[in-house]
């Protein structure tokens, strides 16, 4: 197992990202090995939540998967720096935002292939045999990575995608969450906060309530940037009225969230 720090880009600017790589060293092969890109489920939205920080789960996931004969690439999602210099203060991982997730994931594969090709003591990875596997948020990331690969990394060839319990249609999920108090209510609110931070447009108070005591629209971003669980955002709230604005709920009831200013676009762009 290896820890990897590599360069990717975020809206055209070079940024650093981290992850784990598992390399089979006892497999007899006369050619490059297949590459498995493992995309992890939700762990949080800041550096402290990066899977590579976990001394058990970090190497554990790559050890298990590489034992099957795959070179396993397990990136921390963008905005989750697992080691070394961290993200800028206040950074929120773009939770369920398709483009940055796909770009950083594909660059993790590229970095791994380049590193292995330069090391004569390790097997090469096969760019023509890439498998994507992920669960929950990672399942969504698989679909986004597959979508962007032909345009961003055409030199790679994805041969299979296994996505377990993915969030696929974010418009439908947000509609459900805005109308029915559930874990989806909280999760999609976090998506709206992260998407607004990444796209840099939109007024959170248009979609989320900013009423006391929690003032979600104005406080959720700071909590997500500092707390992996971020449960305090919804402390004491037990209804959708305590999370979403009246306008957002009305659009959900009318089935028009896809057209809700700014946020409808965010949800559409990251739906599969």
């Amino acid at each position: 197992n290896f820890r990897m720090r590599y360069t990717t880009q975020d809206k055209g600017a070079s940024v650093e990202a981290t992850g784990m790589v598992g390399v089979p060293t006892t497999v007899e092969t006369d050619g490059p090995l297949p590459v498995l890109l493992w995309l992890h489920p939700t762990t949080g939205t800041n550096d402290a939540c990066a899977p590579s920080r976990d001394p058990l789960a970090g190497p554990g996931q790559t050890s298990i998967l590489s034992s099957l004969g795959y070179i396993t690439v397990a990136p921390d999602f963008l905005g989750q720096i697992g080691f070394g210099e961290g993200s800028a203060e206040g950074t929120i991982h773009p939770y369920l935002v398709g483009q940055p997730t796909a770009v950083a994931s594909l660059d993790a594969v590229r970095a791994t292939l380049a590193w292995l090709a330069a090391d004569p003591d390790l097997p090469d990875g096969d760019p023509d045999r890439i498998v994507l596997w992920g669960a929950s948020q990672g399942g969504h990331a698989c679909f986004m990575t597959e979508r962007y690969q032909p345009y961003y990394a055409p030199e790679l060839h994805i041969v299979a995608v296994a996505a377990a319990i993915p969030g696929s249609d974010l418009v439908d999920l947000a509609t459900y969450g805005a109308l029915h108090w559930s874990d989806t209510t909280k999760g999609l609110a976090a998506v709206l906060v992260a998407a607004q931070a990444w796209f840099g447009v939109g007024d959170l108070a248009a979609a989320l309530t900013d009423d006391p005591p929690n003032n979600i629209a104005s406080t959720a971003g700071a909590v997500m940037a500092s707390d992996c669980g971020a449960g305090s955002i919804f402390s004491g709230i037990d209804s959708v009225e305590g999370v979403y604005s009246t306008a957002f709920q009305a659009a959900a009831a009318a089935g028009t969230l896809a057209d809700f200013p700014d946020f409808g676009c965010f949800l559409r762009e990251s739906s599969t």
Side-chain angles (χ1 to χ4, degrees):
N1 276 300
F2 301 86
R3 295 199 302 176
M4 175 176 69
R5 188 174 176 105
Y6 64 100
T7 300
T8 182
Q9 59 98 357
D10 186 16
K11 291 175 284 191
S14 292
V15 295
E16 296 291 300
T18 57
M20 299 290 301
V21 178
V23 182
T25 57
T26 59
V27 175
E28 293 186 9
T29 178
D30 56 1
L33 295 175
V35 177
L36 173 62
L37 176 61
W38 165 250
L39 298 169
H40 65 81
T42 300
T43 58
T45 52
N46 59 69
D47 287 352
C49 321
S52 68
R53 285 180 180 259
D54 189 321
L56 179 61
Q61 58 194 3
T62 47
S63 294
I64 292 170
L65 296 174
S66 63
S67 72
L68 301 176
Y70 291 94
I71 291 168
T72 304
V73 185
D76 303 316
F77 289 130
L78 196 69
Q80 294 182 319
I81 297 292
F83 49 90
E85 183 178 354
S87 303
E89 185 176 356
T91 296
I92 301 173
H93 152 58
Y95 180 49
L96 293 184
V97 181
Q99 180 182 316
T101 299
V103 165
S105 298
L106 290 166
D107 278 339
V109 173
R110 282 172 160 166
T112 299
L113 292 174
W115 160 57
L116 292 175
D119 191 329
D121 295 324
L122 294 174
D124 288 340
D126 190 345
D128 290 323
R129 290 189 293 165
I130 309 292
V131 176
L132 310 185
W133 188 10
S136 192
Q137 181 185 357
H140 173 270
C142 283
F143 288 144
M144 293 293 103
T145 301
E146 182 187 31
R147 174 189 293 178
Y148 279 88
Q149 175 271 320
Y151 311 102
Y152 186 72
E155 76 279 13
L156 304 179
H157 182 210
I158 296 171
V159 296
V161 177
I165 54 171
S168 52
D169 190 327
L170 300 191
V171 175
D172 279 357
L173 285 172
T175 297
Y176 182 87
L179 298 176
H180 305 88
W181 176 246
S182 61
D183 287 341
T184 305
T185 304
K186 304 172 186 178
L188 268 293
V191 171
L192 298 183
V193 174
Q196 191 277 334
W198 189 78
F199 284 99
V201 296
D203 178 7
L204 276 175
L208 303 176
T209 179
D210 209 25
D211 295 337
N214 294 43
N215 304 92
I216 289 178
S218 58
T219 64
V223 176
M224 289 172 63
S226 59
D227 179 2
C228 283
S232 61
I233 297 173
F234 307 101
S235 177
I237 297 175
D238 59 5
S239 69
V240 295
E241 289 77 16
V243 177
Y244 293 101
S245 70
T246 301
F248 197 84
Q249 293 176 68
T256 60
L257 269 190
D259 300 319
F260 196 86
D262 296 318
F263 296 92
C265 179
F266 301 163
L267 296 171
R268 291 197 314 271
E269 286 298 305
S270 292
S271 292
T272 62

